[in-house]
Amino acid sequence: MSEAVLEAHNITRRFRIDGGKTLTACENVSLSLYRGRTLGLVGESGCGKSTFMKLVMGLDKPTGGEILFRGKDIAKMRGKEMHEMRQHIQMVFQDPSSSLNPKMKIRDIICEPLRNYGRIKHAEKKDAAADLLEMVELPSEFADRYPENMSIGQRQRAAIARAIALEPDIIIMDEATCSLDVSVQKSIIGLITRLQREKNISIGFICHNLPLVQSFAHEIAVMYLGNVVEVIPGADISEKSLHPYTKALLGAVFDINSDRERKIECIKGEPPSPLNIPAGCPFCDRCEHFTEKCRSEKPMLKNVSENHKVACHLYGGNLEK
Amino acid sequence: MRLLTINDLDVSYSGALTVSGFSLSLGQGEICSIVGESGSGKTTVIRAVLGLLPVGGKVTAGSITYDGKELPTLDKKQWHELRGHDISMIFQDSGAMMNPTRTVGATFVEYIRAHEKIPKKDAWSKAAEMLTKMRLPDAGRIMNEYPFRLSGGMRQRVGIAMGMTYQPKLLLADEPTSALDATTQAQIVREMGELRDEYGTSIIIVTHDLGVASYISDRIIVMRNGRIEESGDRDTILHRTENEYTKMLLDAVPTLGGERFV
């Protein structure tokens, strides 16, 4: 496997909320981003996937753990150091209509990071913008447009152009394709993977659409209630996944190729509130294979084979212990 | 007789033709999906059926016949008898349809008493019974909650419970599961299929999710730029289509174990 660009170790983020309660958004999350590879982070709303990526971006500080980037802990960076680090980790947001300033022209939007870090002079903006637009397959005359005069797919391309402007090591994409129509979505994924190959970028992709994320992620981490429950190579998820929650997610996928008689598998109930996480396995209340041990002891993430980790008492030697 | 027949429907917003030449024929107990990308006019069609076009929207040509009645010509009183009784609608987020300052129970009771003259107490128990039927645990507690205190899946079940109170013959659903998580979506889609089996309800679902459409529908209508691109039974559209646009759409849907980009 290629070198790790960023390593998060035992990241925990708790929020104190009214009434003295504590909300645990992430608990002991350890994940790495590798050069030129995509980590897909999947899970349902409130599972902590966006919180984790925010911590990676340095937009929020963890309660515990460390995030190592180039040997330094992002969580401890401040001021100038943080500013310097930011140029290496860029972000693409879900909704390009609100992440692009409607009063700025596309040229100014995509060149803003370059200007902020003094990489180009004002006079060089025109050429820089043309280059960036070419990379994201937009016509160069779009430089003079405002976001509102572009389709939503074109806007997302502009947002990607802004993210790659500084040639970052890492790009974090938070549901970057979920507001797009399927045909546009496909072309954006094609673009992202092409740029990744050309520039060897590491991508952290948050997504709730499992079929989509497995189509281009090298590695997928499944989160449930703030915990990573399974880490598996993207190509293997539909065949080799083991955790009951991952299987439940796969069972809930409506696939256009599946025959009608296939029954959609539903797990019962809804995730418990993150204010009130069960003491043992977070998934125990909804799990079919649940035993007494699941309630009392939390399963740790363990290797079941190379590159495949599961946090479940059923697998990976968790049982013998 | 078909339950709902739409013939050559044109809808305009402030003079601009948004939907043109839309036709559909729906029998009892049939489930039909309208799929298409954003701006294809799919929501406009079902809004037109229920006479709920936004300001400026107008049916300019064609007919919508429900159970022998010509819908666009109905007056206020006739609409009141149909809406929420014979024809119900479920929205993308049922929470947004309810008044946030009132409890689910208060809204539900008001809804029931708008349709039949019964005491509040009876309406309350009728509502609670409907919630239980829609598999909402602890209906009594939910009746006393405000919509925003419920999860998306629970709100959607409340919306479906309200819509199903009078066992409508026709249920219109506008992206009913788009705002939900995968596992909740699976539950709701399955429950909607069961409504048809149990009550013989005909359902029109507007969705951009071809996976959901392929699971639940008998028939699928593909829309593009306000027109029907193709329509046919589920298997024809999914497996034997000749239409280039439909093929392109199906091809773009990511599938498990399908095309990989890396």
Side-chain angles (χ1 to χ4, degrees):
Chain A
M1 197 179 279
S2 58
E3 57 159 324
V5 199
L6 179 141
E7 290 176 48
H9 295 297
N10 298 317
I11 290 297
T12 299
R13 177 69 172 107
R14 297 183 211 281
F15 296 95
R16 297 289 298 275
I17 59 160
D18 294 351
K21 288 187 192 163
T22 316
L23 185 150
T24 309
C26 288
E27 196 166 13
N28 282 325
V29 177
S30 301
L31 289 170
S32 300
L33 289 166
Y34 297 95
R35 188 167 300 286
R37 294 168 69 87
T38 303
L39 170 71
L41 203 49
V42 300
E44 299 181 287
S45 4
C47 73
K49 51 193 195 305
S50 291
T51 303
F52 175 74
M53 289 300 188
K54 266 189 192 158
L55 296 169
V56 168
M57 284 292 297
L59 293 173
D60 190 10
K61 301 273 181 206
T63 319
E66 54 177 13
I67 303 167
L68 295 177
F69 175 69
R70 297 190 172 181
K72 285 194 175 160
D73 187 357
I74 290 178
K76 295 204 175 69
M77 287 183 189
R78 309 173 130 253
K80 195 157 190 292
E81 202 183 5
M82 179 68 99
H83 180 74
E84 287 299 311
M85 181 278 293
R86 285 244 163 88
Q87 59 185 317
H88 305 300
I89 307 182
Q90 293 285 306
M91 192 152 182
V92 177
F93 298 89
Q94 175 173 351
D95 179 8
S97 314
S98 54
S99 69
L100 303 178
N101 187 335
K103 291 191 172 177
M104 283 168 78
K105 284 187 176 162
I106 294 300
R107 173 181 297 117
D108 300 318
I109 290 173
I110 61 181
C111 290
E112 193 181 21
L114 292 167
R115 293 283 294 149
N116 280 347
Y117 286 95
R119 301 259 190 108
I120 56 166
K121 297 200 181 74
H122 184 74
E124 294 163 338
K125 258 168 92 171
K126 201 175 167 192
D127 292 340
D131 287 348
L132 285 169
L133 287 175
E134 197 189 327
M135 272 185 238
V136 296
E137 296 154 15
L138 285 177
S140 55
E141 58 266 27
F142 274 46
D144 286 312
R145 291 204 185 185
Y146 289 97
E148 61 169 9
N149 297 323
M150 295 160 67
S151 75
I152 193 155
Q154 290 164 340
R155 282 181 223 165
Q156 198 59 298
R157 281 171 188 266
I160 292 170
R162 178 175 63 181
I164 59 169
L166 292 167
E167 310 234 308
D169 292 334
I170 298 170
I171 298 183
I172 305 290
M173 302 193 174
D174 191 349
E175 303 272 13
T177 59
C178 87
S179 56
L180 308 173
D181 282 322
V182 281
S183 57
V184 185
Q185 176 174 288
K186 190 180 176 186
S187 72
I188 295 280
I189 295 295
L191 172 71
I192 292 170
T193 48
R194 198 201 80 215
L195 290 170
Q196 178 176 49
R197 274 195 302 275
E198 287 171 11
K199 299 181 178 296
N200 223 2
I201 306 169
S202 168
I203 296 177
F205 198 95
I206 299 178
C207 190
H208 63 263
N209 185 340
L210 209 48
L212 177 71
V213 79
Q214 65 94 40
S215 74
F216 72 99
H218 300 85
E219 190 177 50
I220 295 178
V222 182
M223 284 186 77
Y224 184 77
L225 275 181
N227 292 269
V228 174
V229 297
E230 185 158 15
V231 182
I232 186 170
D236 291 346
I237 191 157
S238 54
E239 304 277 319
K240 295 188 187 151
S241 59
L242 294 171
H243 197 280
Y245 180 63
T246 313
K247 287 186 179 163
L249 280 181
L250 288 164
V253 170
F254 291 96
D255 196 317
I256 50 170
N257 297 325
S258 67
D259 66 278
R260 187 155 197 179
E261 306 315 317
R262 182 184 81 115
K263 244 187 144 182
I264 283 287
E265 299 294 331
C266 301
I267 44 171
K268 52 183 191 272
E270 296 189 4
S273 151
L275 288 171
N276 197 2
I277 297 179
C281 173
F283 190 59
C284 68
D285 290 336
R286 302 172 78 192
C287 184
E288 285 181 346
H289 310 288
F290 142 86
T291 61
E292 269 315 305
K293 190 179 179 187
C294 303
R295 183 143 289 168
S296 55
E297 189 186 323
K298 189 167 169 173
M300 290 294 138
L301 208 54
K302 292 204 170 160
N303 272 316
V304 283
S305 62
E306 202 192 346
N307 304 330
H308 185 182
K309 290 183 216 155
V310 182
C312 178
H313 287 309
L314 291 172
Y315 307 103
N318 267 317
L319 261 190
E320 286 87 53
K321 238 178 89 178
Chain B
M1 192 178 68
R2 308 293 279 175
L3 185 69
L4 179 78
T5 313
I6 303 178
N7 227 330
D8 261 329
L9 180 75
D10 286 4
V11 181
S12 301
Y13 285 116
S14 321
L17 197 62
T18 310
V19 167
S20 75
F22 186 94
S23 300
L24 160 107
S25 161
L26 191 73
Q28 209 212 329
E30 265 187 341
I31 300 182
C32 174
S33 293
I34 305 179
V35 300
E37 302 197 296
S38 4
S40 59
K42 50 195 194 301
T43 297
T44 300
V45 169
I46 62 166
R47 279 176 162 261
V49 171
L50 208 53
L52 288 179
L53 287 170
V55 178
K58 234 173 98 182
V59 173
T60 45
S63 66
I64 307 173
T65 319
Y66 167 82
D67 207 9
K69 300 183 198 70
E70 186 51 38
L71 292 186
T73 63
L74 296 189
D75 62 28
K76 227 173 163 179
K77 189 163 169 287
Q78 289 168 309
W79 264 128
H80 183 75
E81 281 162 12
L82 271 185
R83 280 191 197 134
H85 199 279
D86 284 34
I87 309 177
S88 277
M89 186 146 169
I90 305 167
F91 300 91
Q92 182 167 345
D93 179 3
S94 297
M97 149 193 107
M98 289 180 261
N99 185 338
T101 68
R102 306 185 68 196
T103 60
V104 168
T107 308
F108 209 150
V109 165
E110 184 188 21
Y111 167 70
I112 291 175
R113 301 213 326 149
H115 287 282
E116 56 180 327
K117 290 199 165 41
I118 58 172
K120 272 191 184 160
K121 219 177 137 194
D122 297 354
W124 187 274
S125 47
K126 186 168 187 164
E129 187 193 327
M130 275 317 291
L131 293 181
T132 312
K133 267 192 197 161
M134 288 305 130
R135 309 222 183 116
L136 277 158
D138 204 357
R141 184 183 71 82
I142 289 168
M143 293 284 282
N144 286 312
E145 287 285 12
Y146 291 92
F148 62 86
R149 302 252 308 161
L150 305 177
S151 71
M154 284 158 93
R155 283 205 295 256
Q156 215 55 347
R157 285 204 176 86
V158 170
I160 296 175
M162 280 192 187
M164 289 306 293
T165 310
Y166 293 98
Q167 298 177 15
K169 295 195 193 88
L170 177 61
L171 188 65
L172 306 170
D174 186 5
E175 302 274 10
T177 60
S178 305
L180 305 177
D181 276 321
T183 53
T184 320
Q185 164 169 293
Q187 293 166 352
I188 299 276
V189 170
R190 203 160 90 171
E191 284 160 24
M192 288 186 67
E194 287 163 7
L195 291 179
R196 181 255 304 267
D197 301 338
E198 225 166 287
Y199 304 103
T201 315
S202 308
I203 305 178
I204 302 181
I205 295 180
V206 164
T207 179
H208 67 275
D209 189 328
L210 280 148
V212 170
S214 71
Y215 177 76
I216 199 171
S217 335
D218 303 311
R219 298 183 53 224
I220 298 178
I221 296 177
V222 183
M223 284 189 77
R224 181 195 192 187
N225 297 334
R227 292 178 174 276
I228 292 182
E229 186 70 30
E230 192 182 13
S231 91
D233 65 74
R234 172 187 177 276
D235 288 325
T236 312
I237 299 284
L238 290 178
H239 304 301
R240 291 189 294 276
T241 179
E242 295 287 315
N243 186 295
E244 288 303 317
Y245 181 72
T246 310
K247 276 188 195 164
M248 188 279 290
L249 264 191
L250 289 170
D251 192 44
V253 178
T255 54
L256 284 174
E259 182 185 5
R260 279 181 61 82
F261 292 85
V262 291

